[in-house]
Amino acid sequence: MSDVIVRGRDFTAYRIGGAIAAALLFAALLWQTYEIFDGDAMTVPETSWTAVNDGEGSGENAVLADDILVARTRLLDERFKTGPSPEEPGFAAQAGQTLVEEPIDGYSKALPEAWMTGDAEMLRMLRPGQRTEGLSSLPYVNAALFERPEGRDWRLGMADFITHLGALVILGFAFLLALLLAIRGRVPIAEGRARTKVKRFGFLERATHWMTATSFIGLALTGIVIAYGETLILPFGGDLLGQAGWIATWGHAVCFPPFAFGILIMGIMWVGRNIPDRLDWIWLKNGGGLFSDEGPNPPAKKFNAGQKLIFWSAMLGGILMVGTGVMLMFPFFFLGLEAQAWVMLGHATVATFLIAIFIGHIYIGTVGMQGAIDAMWSGRVDRNWAKEHHELWLKDIEKEETAR
Amino acid sequence: MARLKFLCDADRCIECNACATVCKNEHEVPWGMVRRRVVTINDGETDERSVAVSCMHCTDAPCVAVCPTSTLYQTDLGIVLHDKDNCIGCGYCFYACPFGAPQFPEATLMGSRGKMDKCTYCAGGPEENGSEAEFKKYGRNRIAEGKLPICAEVCSTRALLAGDGDVVGEIYRERVIHRGYGSGAWGWKTAYYPDEKS
C-alpha cells in the first residue's frame, strides 16, 4: 500500500461532532438505564373521585363519594337483608350532588399495592387464575374467551422488556458509532481523491435503494412514535401524542408498500453478488480495515462482507417485518389471539435491531467514510476509494475498460 | 377507600344475557361491539357454568401499561377509563387484556382498528360528567350519580355483583357459607391479586 496522505484523525470537525453526539447519547443511555430501575412500571391511579354539592357550596368530599358507593353496594346483598326498595333516598347521590374526577399529581404505588394484598378470607375465595374458554352466543371473534392470564405476561414483554431493550440497543449502538467517529475520525481515502470516477451503481439500483431507504426511515420513525411516544411526545401534551399516534398509524401503513416492493427488487438485483465466500471471512478477520488508516484493507469484490451483512439484514429482517406486519394488519385472520400477540412482540423486537443495524449503515455511508456517499448518490465513486475498499471489483472494471 | 370490582357468581348465572343487553342499551354501544358478554364453560356437561365478563378494572392494569398513546387511565376507585380522542386502534390493550375486554369498531383498517371501546364501569370518560359529548363516546355516567353499573343492578339472580370489593366479597362469602358451595371468585386472581400465591 502506498503512502497515507489523508488521515482519519484529521477530520477535526467530524470528530468534534462525533464527541458531542457521543456525550448526548451517553446521557440518553444513562437516563434509559435509570428508567429500567426507577420502579414506575406499575399502573397507578391518575384521577381521584370526590363528591361535590352544586348549590350548597360545602366543598369536595372524597369520603362521602366512598360512602355513597359502599351503601349502594350493600343493596346487592340478598333481598331479605337489603329491604325492598333500592331507590330509597340515601342510597345514591342526593339532588345536586355528583361524583367527579380530579387529576392526581405525582406517582404513588400506595393504592395499587394495598389493592393487591388480600386478607386470608379474601384469598381463600379466589379461583386459581387459568386460561378459560367456553362458548358464547355472540358471533364475535374471541367472545368465547373468559380469561387468559397470559395477557399480563404480554404486558411484561411489551412494556417492561422490549421497549427498554430496544432503546438500549438503538442508543447503545449509536453511542458506539459516535465514539468511533470521535476517536478514529472518518475512514479516509488514504491516498487522497484520484479525481477520476468509476461507475458503481446504475439508476435503477439507486432509485430502488432510496425508495426502500425513505420508506424504511418512515416506518422506523412512525414505529418509534408508537413505541416511544409516551417518553418522547407525551411531555408535550396528551393531545399531541394522540395526533402523532394517528399520523404514525397511517404513515406506517403508507410506507409499507414501497418498502416491501423495494426489498423484493433489491433482492433480485443484488442477491447474486451477496453470496458469502472465503474472502468475506478474511475481510471480517481484519475488521474490514475499519480501524486503521494504514490498512491492510482486505480485498473485496463489488460487495464486501460488511455490505453483505447489511444486504442480508435488509432481506431477512425486511421479510420478517413485512410478514409479521401483514399478519398484524389483519387481526385474527391468519392467527389466533395468542399467536397474534407474540407476533406483535416479535415485530417490535426485530424492528429495534433493524433500526440499530441501519443506523450503522447510514453512519458508514455518510459521515463514517470519506467518499462512500457518492456510490449511492451520483452512482460514481472515486477511483482511489474503489481501490482501497473494493480492490478486486476495480480490477474487473479496469479489465473491462482496457478490453473496450 | 372503596375499591370497585366485579364479581360474577358462576353458580348463580343463568346465562340470560340481561347484563349484556342492558349494557348495550344503556350506553347505546354501537353495532359490532359488546362491553359485557356471557361465556358458558363446559356447555352441556354436568359441571356447566356460565359467567358474565367485561373489563374487570384490574389492579396494575396491563392495558394502561401497554397503551402507546396514554389513552387508558385508572381512577382511585380502580375504574379503568379510556380517552377515545387519543386512541389509535393499535389493539395492544387487547393483547394485554386478560379478559378480552377491549372492543374495536373495525376488524382491520390498514393496521388500525378504529377507536377502542370498553366497559367504563358506567363512569363515562374524560368529558364533563353527564354531557352530550360524554354520552356519545362513552355512554351513561351512573357513578357520577352515585349508582353502580347497570349490568349488576339489573341482574335477576344477583349473580353479577358490582361495587366495593370488600362488600362484594363479604356478600359472596356469606352466600357460599349459607348454601354450602361455591366455585370461587372467577378471574379475581388474575384481575386483582396477580402477585398473590393461591
Side-chain angles (χ1 to χ4, degrees), chain A residues 43 46-47 66 72 77 81 125 135 143 145 147-148 152 230 246 329, chain B residues 2 37 40 59-61 70 74 76 97-98 108 115 153 158 174 185 190:
Chain A
T43 301
E46 290 168 52
T47 63
D66 260 25
R72 186 86 181 180
D77 207 340
K81 287 186 183 166
M125 65 177 257
L135 285 177
L145 181 72
E147 182 185 347
R148 50 182 285 270
R152 285 202 182 264
E230 270 201 294
W246 264 112
M329 277 168 68
Chain B
R37 60 193 196 280
T40 303
T59 297
D60 190 17
S70 265
Q74 195 160 26
D76 67 345
C97 179
T108 181
K115 296 198 183 286
E153 295 205 330
R158 294 205 173 166
E174 280 178 13
T190 303

PDB file of all heavy atoms in Angstrom, chain A residues 43 46-47 66 72 77 81 125 135 143 145 147-148 152 230 246 329, chain B residues 2 37 40 59-61 70 74 76 97-98 108 115 153 158 174 185 190:
ATOM      1  N   THR A  43     -49.090   0.251  37.097  1.00  0.00           N
ATOM      2  CA  THR A  43     -50.177   1.164  36.755  1.00  0.00           C
ATOM      3  C   THR A  43     -50.750   1.761  38.043  1.00  0.00           C
ATOM      4  O   THR A  43     -51.167   1.014  38.926  1.00  0.00           O
ATOM      5  CB  THR A  43     -51.288   0.403  36.012  1.00  0.00           C
ATOM      6  OG1 THR A  43     -50.737  -0.170  34.836  1.00  0.00           O
ATOM      7  CG2 THR A  43     -52.422   1.338  35.639  1.00  0.00           C
ATOM      8  N   GLU A  46     -54.667   7.781  38.119  1.00  0.00           N
ATOM      9  CA  GLU A  46     -54.316   9.118  37.651  1.00  0.00           C
ATOM     10  C   GLU A  46     -55.380  10.149  38.012  1.00  0.00           C
ATOM     11  O   GLU A  46     -55.143  11.344  37.898  1.00  0.00           O
ATOM     12  CB  GLU A  46     -54.104   9.111  36.132  1.00  0.00           C
ATOM     13  CG  GLU A  46     -52.838   8.374  35.710  1.00  0.00           C
ATOM     14  CD  GLU A  46     -52.768   8.117  34.222  1.00  0.00           C
ATOM     15  OE1 GLU A  46     -52.929   9.075  33.455  1.00  0.00           O
ATOM     16  OE2 GLU A  46     -52.553   6.954  33.829  1.00  0.00           O
ATOM     17  N   THR A  47     -56.584   9.662  38.367  1.00  0.00           N
ATOM     18  CA  THR A  47     -57.612  10.620  38.790  1.00  0.00           C
ATOM     19  C   THR A  47     -58.244  10.132  40.085  1.00  0.00           C
ATOM     20  O   THR A  47     -58.144   8.950  40.440  1.00  0.00           O
ATOM     21  CB  THR A  47     -58.731  10.779  37.745  1.00  0.00           C
ATOM     22  OG1 THR A  47     -59.400   9.533  37.599  1.00  0.00           O
ATOM     23  CG2 THR A  47     -58.184  11.218  36.401  1.00  0.00           C
ATOM     24  N   ASP A  66     -67.117   7.731  48.676  1.00  0.00           N
ATOM     25  CA  ASP A  66     -66.945   6.347  49.104  1.00  0.00           C
ATOM     26  C   ASP A  66     -68.200   5.808  49.771  1.00  0.00           C
ATOM     27  O   ASP A  66     -68.676   4.714  49.453  1.00  0.00           O
ATOM     28  CB  ASP A  66     -65.811   6.287  50.127  1.00  0.00           C
ATOM     29  CG  ASP A  66     -64.541   5.817  49.493  1.00  0.00           C
ATOM     30  OD1 ASP A  66     -64.422   6.000  48.262  1.00  0.00           O
ATOM     31  OD2 ASP A  66     -63.707   5.277  50.226  1.00  0.00           O
ATOM     32  N   ARG A  72     -74.487   1.827  48.313  1.00  0.00           N
ATOM     33  CA  ARG A  72     -75.140   1.312  47.111  1.00  0.00           C
ATOM     34  C   ARG A  72     -74.772  -0.168  46.890  1.00  0.00           C
ATOM     35  O   ARG A  72     -75.603  -0.970  46.466  1.00  0.00           O
ATOM     36  CB  ARG A  72     -74.706   2.159  45.915  1.00  0.00           C
ATOM     37  CG  ARG A  72     -75.406   1.855  44.623  1.00  0.00           C
ATOM     38  CD  ARG A  72     -76.712   2.614  44.486  1.00  0.00           C
ATOM     39  NE  ARG A  72     -77.382   2.280  43.240  1.00  0.00           N
ATOM     40  CZ  ARG A  72     -78.535   2.787  42.843  1.00  0.00           C
ATOM     41  NH1 ARG A  72     -79.173   3.660  43.598  1.00  0.00           N
ATOM     42  NH2 ARG A  72     -79.075   2.422  41.710  1.00  0.00           N
ATOM     43  N   ASP A  77     -76.867  -7.157  48.203  1.00  0.00           N
ATOM     44  CA  ASP A  77     -76.955  -8.324  49.087  1.00  0.00           C
ATOM     45  C   ASP A  77     -78.338  -8.972  48.937  1.00  0.00           C
ATOM     46  O   ASP A  77     -79.208  -8.453  48.246  1.00  0.00           O
ATOM     47  CB  ASP A  77     -76.714  -7.881  50.533  1.00  0.00           C
ATOM     48  CG  ASP A  77     -76.146  -9.009  51.379  1.00  0.00           C
ATOM     49  OD1 ASP A  77     -76.301 -10.184  50.949  1.00  0.00           O
ATOM     50  OD2 ASP A  77     -75.572  -8.721  52.436  1.00  0.00           O
ATOM     51  N   LYS A  81     -82.023  -8.987  53.341  1.00  0.00           N
ATOM     52  CA  LYS A  81     -81.148  -8.136  54.141  1.00  0.00           C
ATOM     53  C   LYS A  81     -81.275  -6.671  53.756  1.00  0.00           C
ATOM     54  O   LYS A  81     -81.082  -5.781  54.572  1.00  0.00           O
ATOM     55  CB  LYS A  81     -79.690  -8.562  53.964  1.00  0.00           C
ATOM     56  CG  LYS A  81     -79.345  -9.850  54.657  1.00  0.00           C
ATOM     57  CD  LYS A  81     -77.855 -10.124  54.547  1.00  0.00           C
ATOM     58  CE  LYS A  81     -77.513 -11.450  55.181  1.00  0.00           C
ATOM     59  NZ  LYS A  81     -76.173 -11.892  54.810  1.00  0.00           N
ATOM     60  N   MET A 125     -61.257 -17.225  48.811  1.00  0.00           N
ATOM     61  CA  MET A 125     -62.370 -17.292  47.857  1.00  0.00           C
ATOM     62  C   MET A 125     -61.920 -17.136  46.398  1.00  0.00           C
ATOM     63  O   MET A 125     -62.733 -17.211  45.484  1.00  0.00           O
ATOM     64  CB  MET A 125     -63.429 -16.233  48.195  1.00  0.00           C
ATOM     65  CG  MET A 125     -62.948 -14.813  48.050  1.00  0.00           C
ATOM     66  SD  MET A 125     -64.279 -13.628  48.368  1.00  0.00           S
ATOM     67  CE  MET A 125     -64.709 -13.146  46.730  1.00  0.00           C
ATOM     68  N   LEU A 135     -68.112 -21.236  25.523  1.00  0.00           N
ATOM     69  CA  LEU A 135     -68.945 -20.931  24.367  1.00  0.00           C
ATOM     70  C   LEU A 135     -69.610 -19.589  24.609  1.00  0.00           C
ATOM     71  O   LEU A 135     -69.845 -19.203  25.740  1.00  0.00           O
ATOM     72  CB  LEU A 135     -70.056 -21.978  24.228  1.00  0.00           C
ATOM     73  CG  LEU A 135     -69.704 -23.352  23.698  1.00  0.00           C
ATOM     74  CD1 LEU A 135     -70.944 -24.218  23.737  1.00  0.00           C
ATOM     75  CD2 LEU A 135     -69.164 -23.239  22.283  1.00  0.00           C
ATOM     76  N   ALA A 143     -65.027 -13.954  21.533  1.00  0.00           N
ATOM     77  CA  ALA A 143     -66.097 -13.694  22.506  1.00  0.00           C
ATOM     78  C   ALA A 143     -66.204 -14.839  23.512  1.00  0.00           C
ATOM     79  O   ALA A 143     -66.631 -14.633  24.644  1.00  0.00           O
ATOM     80  CB  ALA A 143     -67.431 -13.494  21.795  1.00  0.00           C
ATOM     81  N   LEU A 145     -63.892 -16.397  24.951  1.00  0.00           N
ATOM     82  CA  LEU A 145     -62.768 -16.443  25.884  1.00  0.00           C
ATOM     83  C   LEU A 145     -63.165 -15.747  27.170  1.00  0.00           C
ATOM     84  O   LEU A 145     -63.597 -14.596  27.155  1.00  0.00           O
ATOM     85  CB  LEU A 145     -61.576 -15.722  25.248  1.00  0.00           C
ATOM     86  CG  LEU A 145     -60.301 -15.679  26.059  1.00  0.00           C
ATOM     87  CD1 LEU A 145     -59.657 -17.050  26.096  1.00  0.00           C
ATOM     88  CD2 LEU A 145     -59.354 -14.656  25.481  1.00  0.00           C
ATOM     89  N   GLU A 147     -61.020 -15.954  30.254  1.00  0.00           N
ATOM     90  CA  GLU A 147     -59.825 -15.455  30.927  1.00  0.00           C
ATOM     91  C   GLU A 147     -58.556 -15.974  30.281  1.00  0.00           C
ATOM     92  O   GLU A 147     -58.509 -17.124  29.862  1.00  0.00           O
ATOM     93  CB  GLU A 147     -59.848 -15.882  32.398  1.00  0.00           C
ATOM     94  CG  GLU A 147     -58.666 -15.362  33.199  1.00  0.00           C
ATOM     95  CD  GLU A 147     -58.645 -15.887  34.634  1.00  0.00           C
ATOM     96  OE1 GLU A 147     -59.658 -16.450  35.075  1.00  0.00           O
ATOM     97  OE2 GLU A 147     -57.605 -15.734  35.282  1.00  0.00           O
ATOM     98  N   ARG A 148     -57.544 -15.099  30.156  1.00  0.00           N
ATOM     99  CA  ARG A 148     -56.218 -15.509  29.696  1.00  0.00           C
ATOM    100  C   ARG A 148     -55.170 -14.741  30.508  1.00  0.00           C
ATOM    101  O   ARG A 148     -54.836 -13.598  30.194  1.00  0.00           O
ATOM    102  CB  ARG A 148     -56.046 -15.253  28.198  1.00  0.00           C
ATOM    103  CG  ARG A 148     -56.428 -13.864  27.737  1.00  0.00           C
ATOM    104  CD  ARG A 148     -56.272 -13.705  26.242  1.00  0.00           C
ATOM    105  NE  ARG A 148     -54.900 -13.577  25.802  1.00  0.00           N
ATOM    106  CZ  ARG A 148     -54.251 -12.407  25.675  1.00  0.00           C
ATOM    107  NH1 ARG A 148     -54.833 -11.288  25.983  1.00  0.00           N
ATOM    108  NH2 ARG A 148     -53.016 -12.388  25.239  1.00  0.00           N
ATOM    109  N   ARG A 152     -51.069 -10.676  31.050  1.00  0.00           N
ATOM    110  CA  ARG A 152     -50.127  -9.985  31.933  1.00  0.00           C
ATOM    111  C   ARG A 152     -48.676 -10.260  31.516  1.00  0.00           C
ATOM    112  O   ARG A 152     -47.815  -9.401  31.665  1.00  0.00           O
ATOM    113  CB  ARG A 152     -50.358 -10.394  33.383  1.00  0.00           C
ATOM    114  CG  ARG A 152     -51.600  -9.744  33.988  1.00  0.00           C
ATOM    115  CD  ARG A 152     -51.503  -9.721  35.506  1.00  0.00           C
ATOM    116  NE  ARG A 152     -52.709  -9.156  36.108  1.00  0.00           N
ATOM    117  CZ  ARG A 152     -52.818  -7.884  36.480  1.00  0.00           C
ATOM    118  NH1 ARG A 152     -51.823  -7.047  36.303  1.00  0.00           N
ATOM    119  NH2 ARG A 152     -53.934  -7.448  37.019  1.00  0.00           N
ATOM    120  N   GLU A 230     -44.784   7.749  24.402  1.00  0.00           N
ATOM    121  CA  GLU A 230     -45.082   8.100  25.787  1.00  0.00           C
ATOM    122  C   GLU A 230     -43.899   8.776  26.457  1.00  0.00           C
ATOM    123  O   GLU A 230     -44.069   9.578  27.363  1.00  0.00           O
ATOM    124  CB  GLU A 230     -45.463   6.838  26.568  1.00  0.00           C
ATOM    125  CG  GLU A 230     -46.941   6.566  26.507  1.00  0.00           C
ATOM    126  CD  GLU A 230     -47.396   5.681  27.647  1.00  0.00           C
ATOM    127  OE1 GLU A 230     -46.961   4.515  27.653  1.00  0.00           O
ATOM    128  OE2 GLU A 230     -48.163   6.129  28.508  1.00  0.00           O
ATOM    129  N   TRP A 246     -51.961   8.998  15.482  1.00  0.00           N
ATOM    130  CA  TRP A 246     -52.777   8.755  14.291  1.00  0.00           C
ATOM    131  C   TRP A 246     -51.948   8.859  13.017  1.00  0.00           C
ATOM    132  O   TRP A 246     -52.040   8.009  12.124  1.00  0.00           O
ATOM    133  CB  TRP A 246     -53.949   9.741  14.215  1.00  0.00           C
ATOM    134  CG  TRP A 246     -55.196   9.153  14.778  1.00  0.00           C
ATOM    135  CD1 TRP A 246     -55.827   9.540  15.910  1.00  0.00           C
ATOM    136  CD2 TRP A 246     -55.945   8.042  14.245  1.00  0.00           C
ATOM    137  NE1 TRP A 246     -56.919   8.736  16.130  1.00  0.00           N
ATOM    138  CE2 TRP A 246     -57.016   7.816  15.126  1.00  0.00           C
ATOM    139  CE3 TRP A 246     -55.801   7.219  13.136  1.00  0.00           C
ATOM    140  CZ2 TRP A 246     -57.955   6.807  14.918  1.00  0.00           C
ATOM    141  CZ3 TRP A 246     -56.738   6.209  12.935  1.00  0.00           C
ATOM    142  CH2 TRP A 246     -57.788   6.013  13.818  1.00  0.00           C
ATOM    143  N   MET A 329     -51.837  -6.585  10.322  1.00  0.00           N
ATOM    144  CA  MET A 329     -52.823  -5.722   9.670  1.00  0.00           C
ATOM    145  C   MET A 329     -54.179  -6.404   9.525  1.00  0.00           C
ATOM    146  O   MET A 329     -55.182  -5.740   9.295  1.00  0.00           O
ATOM    147  CB  MET A 329     -52.322  -5.296   8.290  1.00  0.00           C
ATOM    148  CG  MET A 329     -51.378  -4.112   8.358  1.00  0.00           C
ATOM    149  SD  MET A 329     -50.537  -3.831   6.808  1.00  0.00           S
ATOM    150  CE  MET A 329     -51.867  -3.304   5.768  1.00  0.00           C
TER     151      MET A 329
ATOM    152  N   ALA B   2     -62.853   2.957  48.989  1.00  0.00           N
ATOM    153  CA  ALA B   2     -63.540   1.901  48.238  1.00  0.00           C
ATOM    154  C   ALA B   2     -62.691   1.475  47.039  1.00  0.00           C
ATOM    155  O   ALA B   2     -61.974   2.279  46.466  1.00  0.00           O
ATOM    156  CB  ALA B   2     -64.896   2.390  47.749  1.00  0.00           C
ATOM    157  N   ARG B  37     -70.252  -9.649  28.068  1.00  0.00           N
ATOM    158  CA  ARG B  37     -70.750 -10.827  27.380  1.00  0.00           C
ATOM    159  C   ARG B  37     -70.797 -11.981  28.373  1.00  0.00           C
ATOM    160  O   ARG B  37     -70.176 -11.922  29.442  1.00  0.00           O
ATOM    161  CB  ARG B  37     -69.847 -11.181  26.195  1.00  0.00           C
ATOM    162  CG  ARG B  37     -68.435 -11.471  26.594  1.00  0.00           C
ATOM    163  CD  ARG B  37     -67.495 -11.505  25.393  1.00  0.00           C
ATOM    164  NE  ARG B  37     -66.243 -12.155  25.758  1.00  0.00           N
ATOM    165  CZ  ARG B  37     -65.244 -11.566  26.410  1.00  0.00           C
ATOM    166  NH1 ARG B  37     -65.332 -10.308  26.764  1.00  0.00           N
ATOM    167  NH2 ARG B  37     -64.160 -12.229  26.736  1.00  0.00           N
ATOM    168  N   THR B  40     -70.139 -19.444  28.452  1.00  0.00           N
ATOM    169  CA  THR B  40     -70.553 -20.700  29.079  1.00  0.00           C
ATOM    170  C   THR B  40     -69.407 -21.699  29.000  1.00  0.00           C
ATOM    171  O   THR B  40     -68.910 -21.993  27.910  1.00  0.00           O
ATOM    172  CB  THR B  40     -71.809 -21.258  28.398  1.00  0.00           C
ATOM    173  OG1 THR B  40     -72.826 -20.260  28.457  1.00  0.00           O
ATOM    174  CG2 THR B  40     -72.298 -22.522  29.088  1.00  0.00           C
ATOM    175  N   THR B  59     -56.241  -4.437  38.911  1.00  0.00           N
ATOM    176  CA  THR B  59     -55.180  -3.757  39.648  1.00  0.00           C
ATOM    177  C   THR B  59     -53.890  -3.904  38.857  1.00  0.00           C
ATOM    178  O   THR B  59     -53.639  -4.962  38.283  1.00  0.00           O
ATOM    179  CB  THR B  59     -55.033  -4.408  41.040  1.00  0.00           C
ATOM    180  OG1 THR B  59     -56.258  -4.220  41.746  1.00  0.00           O
ATOM    181  CG2 THR B  59     -53.896  -3.784  41.819  1.00  0.00           C
ATOM    182  N   ASP B  60     -53.058  -2.871  38.823  1.00  0.00           N
ATOM    183  CA  ASP B  60     -51.871  -2.821  37.966  1.00  0.00           C
ATOM    184  C   ASP B  60     -52.281  -3.190  36.535  1.00  0.00           C
ATOM    185  O   ASP B  60     -51.719  -4.080  35.913  1.00  0.00           O
ATOM    186  CB  ASP B  60     -50.781  -3.770  38.481  1.00  0.00           C
ATOM    187  CG  ASP B  60     -49.453  -3.573  37.766  1.00  0.00           C
ATOM    188  OD1 ASP B  60     -49.288  -2.521  37.125  1.00  0.00           O
ATOM    189  OD2 ASP B  60     -48.602  -4.476  37.841  1.00  0.00           O
ATOM    190  N   ALA B  61     -53.273  -2.460  36.025  1.00  0.00           N
ATOM    191  CA  ALA B  61     -53.925  -2.809  34.758  1.00  0.00           C
ATOM    192  C   ALA B  61     -52.930  -2.898  33.603  1.00  0.00           C
ATOM    193  O   ALA B  61     -52.238  -1.926  33.315  1.00  0.00           O
ATOM    194  CB  ALA B  61     -54.994  -1.776  34.443  1.00  0.00           C
ATOM    195  N   SER B  70     -51.243   6.674  25.773  1.00  0.00           N
ATOM    196  CA  SER B  70     -51.776   7.085  27.075  1.00  0.00           C
ATOM    197  C   SER B  70     -53.277   7.318  27.043  1.00  0.00           C
ATOM    198  O   SER B  70     -53.799   8.217  27.693  1.00  0.00           O
ATOM    199  CB  SER B  70     -51.091   8.377  27.550  1.00  0.00           C
ATOM    200  OG  SER B  70     -50.035   8.062  28.373  1.00  0.00           O
ATOM    201  N   GLN B  74     -56.436   4.909  34.985  1.00  0.00           N
ATOM    202  CA  GLN B  74     -57.183   4.325  36.097  1.00  0.00           C
ATOM    203  C   GLN B  74     -57.540   5.423  37.096  1.00  0.00           C
ATOM    204  O   GLN B  74     -56.825   6.401  37.225  1.00  0.00           O
ATOM    205  CB  GLN B  74     -56.333   3.242  36.768  1.00  0.00           C
ATOM    206  CG  GLN B  74     -57.132   2.325  37.682  1.00  0.00           C
ATOM    207  CD  GLN B  74     -56.415   1.012  37.932  1.00  0.00           C
ATOM    208  OE1 GLN B  74     -55.200   0.943  37.861  1.00  0.00           O
ATOM    209  NE2 GLN B  74     -57.174  -0.032  38.236  1.00  0.00           N
ATOM    210  N   ASP B  76     -58.909   6.365  41.225  1.00  0.00           N
ATOM    211  CA  ASP B  76     -58.587   5.856  42.563  1.00  0.00           C
ATOM    212  C   ASP B  76     -59.666   4.928  43.119  1.00  0.00           C
ATOM    213  O   ASP B  76     -59.520   4.398  44.210  1.00  0.00           O
ATOM    214  CB  ASP B  76     -58.301   7.009  43.534  1.00  0.00           C
ATOM    215  CG  ASP B  76     -59.533   7.853  43.813  1.00  0.00           C
ATOM    216  OD1 ASP B  76     -60.517   7.735  43.045  1.00  0.00           O
ATOM    217  OD2 ASP B  76     -59.521   8.622  44.782  1.00  0.00           O
ATOM    218  N   CYS B  97     -54.919  -7.592  27.573  1.00  0.00           N
ATOM    219  CA  CYS B  97     -56.076  -7.776  28.448  1.00  0.00           C
ATOM    220  C   CYS B  97     -56.298  -9.243  28.785  1.00  0.00           C
ATOM    221  O   CYS B  97     -56.406 -10.078  27.900  1.00  0.00           O
ATOM    222  CB  CYS B  97     -57.341  -7.225  27.795  1.00  0.00           C
ATOM    223  SG  CYS B  97     -58.799  -7.456  28.835  1.00  0.00           S
ATOM    224  N   PRO B  98     -56.370  -9.603  30.093  1.00  0.00           N
ATOM    225  CA  PRO B  98     -56.618 -10.998  30.458  1.00  0.00           C
ATOM    226  C   PRO B  98     -58.079 -11.409  30.244  1.00  0.00           C
ATOM    227  O   PRO B  98     -58.403 -12.575  30.408  1.00  0.00           O
ATOM    228  CB  PRO B  98     -56.268 -11.039  31.944  1.00  0.00           C
ATOM    229  CG  PRO B  98     -55.548  -9.772  32.235  1.00  0.00           C
ATOM    230  CD  PRO B  98     -56.051  -8.778  31.256  1.00  0.00           C
ATOM    231  N   THR B 108     -60.269  -4.557  10.559  1.00  0.00           N
ATOM    232  CA  THR B 108     -58.971  -4.021  10.193  1.00  0.00           C
ATOM    233  C   THR B 108     -59.177  -2.769   9.370  1.00  0.00           C
ATOM    234  O   THR B 108     -60.176  -2.611   8.700  1.00  0.00           O
ATOM    235  CB  THR B 108     -58.116  -5.024   9.413  1.00  0.00           C
ATOM    236  OG1 THR B 108     -56.861  -4.395   9.119  1.00  0.00           O
ATOM    237  CG2 THR B 108     -58.777  -5.424   8.114  1.00  0.00           C
ATOM    238  N   LYS B 115     -61.440   3.408  16.882  1.00  0.00           N
ATOM    239  CA  LYS B 115     -61.271   3.788  18.281  1.00  0.00           C
ATOM    240  C   LYS B 115     -61.855   2.744  19.226  1.00  0.00           C
ATOM    241  O   LYS B 115     -63.010   2.358  19.106  1.00  0.00           O
ATOM    242  CB  LYS B 115     -61.895   5.157  18.520  1.00  0.00           C
ATOM    243  CG  LYS B 115     -61.178   6.236  17.727  1.00  0.00           C
ATOM    244  CD  LYS B 115     -61.446   7.617  18.242  1.00  0.00           C
ATOM    245  CE  LYS B 115     -60.758   8.663  17.381  1.00  0.00           C
ATOM    246  NZ  LYS B 115     -59.301   8.705  17.590  1.00  0.00           N
ATOM    247  N   GLU B 153     -76.788  -4.146  38.658  1.00  0.00           N
ATOM    248  CA  GLU B 153     -78.009  -3.742  39.349  1.00  0.00           C
ATOM    249  C   GLU B 153     -79.248  -4.387  38.719  1.00  0.00           C
ATOM    250  O   GLU B 153     -80.286  -4.501  39.356  1.00  0.00           O
ATOM    251  CB  GLU B 153     -78.113  -2.212  39.360  1.00  0.00           C
ATOM    252  CG  GLU B 153     -76.973  -1.596  40.185  1.00  0.00           C
ATOM    253  CD  GLU B 153     -77.296  -0.235  40.755  1.00  0.00           C
ATOM    254  OE1 GLU B 153     -78.065   0.492  40.134  1.00  0.00           O
ATOM    255  OE2 GLU B 153     -76.771   0.090  41.843  1.00  0.00           O
ATOM    256  N   ARG B 158     -78.950 -11.944  40.930  1.00  0.00           N
ATOM    257  CA  ARG B 158     -77.865 -11.329  41.702  1.00  0.00           C
ATOM    258  C   ARG B 158     -76.591 -12.154  41.610  1.00  0.00           C
ATOM    259  O   ARG B 158     -75.836 -12.280  42.572  1.00  0.00           O
ATOM    260  CB  ARG B 158     -78.277 -11.108  43.152  1.00  0.00           C
ATOM    261  CG  ARG B 158     -79.384 -10.097  43.216  1.00  0.00           C
ATOM    262  CD  ARG B 158     -79.445  -9.383  44.532  1.00  0.00           C
ATOM    263  NE  ARG B 158     -80.442  -8.309  44.425  1.00  0.00           N
ATOM    264  CZ  ARG B 158     -80.933  -7.659  45.454  1.00  0.00           C
ATOM    265  NH1 ARG B 158     -80.562  -7.957  46.669  1.00  0.00           N
ATOM    266  NH2 ARG B 158     -81.815  -6.694  45.278  1.00  0.00           N
ATOM    267  N   GLU B 174     -70.676 -14.917  52.431  1.00  0.00           N
ATOM    268  CA  GLU B 174     -71.839 -15.285  53.260  1.00  0.00           C
ATOM    269  C   GLU B 174     -72.792 -16.181  52.469  1.00  0.00           C
ATOM    270  O   GLU B 174     -73.348 -17.148  52.994  1.00  0.00           O
ATOM    271  CB  GLU B 174     -72.576 -14.020  53.722  1.00  0.00           C
ATOM    272  CG  GLU B 174     -71.894 -13.367  54.903  1.00  0.00           C
ATOM    273  CD  GLU B 174     -72.592 -12.083  55.319  1.00  0.00           C
ATOM    274  OE1 GLU B 174     -73.721 -11.835  54.850  1.00  0.00           O
ATOM    275  OE2 GLU B 174     -71.993 -11.329  56.108  1.00  0.00           O
ATOM    276  N   ALA B 185     -64.272 -16.922  43.226  1.00  0.00           N
ATOM    277  CA  ALA B 185     -64.404 -15.668  42.502  1.00  0.00           C
ATOM    278  C   ALA B 185     -63.650 -15.787  41.184  1.00  0.00           C
ATOM    279  O   ALA B 185     -62.425 -15.725  41.151  1.00  0.00           O
ATOM    280  CB  ALA B 185     -63.859 -14.524  43.344  1.00  0.00           C
ATOM    281  N   THR B 190     -56.360 -13.192  38.682  1.00  0.00           N
ATOM    282  CA  THR B 190     -55.664 -12.516  37.590  1.00  0.00           C
ATOM    283  C   THR B 190     -55.921 -11.016  37.603  1.00  0.00           C
ATOM    284  O   THR B 190     -55.025 -10.217  37.350  1.00  0.00           O
ATOM    285  CB  THR B 190     -56.115 -13.116  36.245  1.00  0.00           C
ATOM    286  OG1 THR B 190     -55.872 -14.517  36.265  1.00  0.00           O
ATOM    287  CG2 THR B 190     -55.359 -12.491  35.086  1.00  0.00           C
TER     288      THR B 190
END
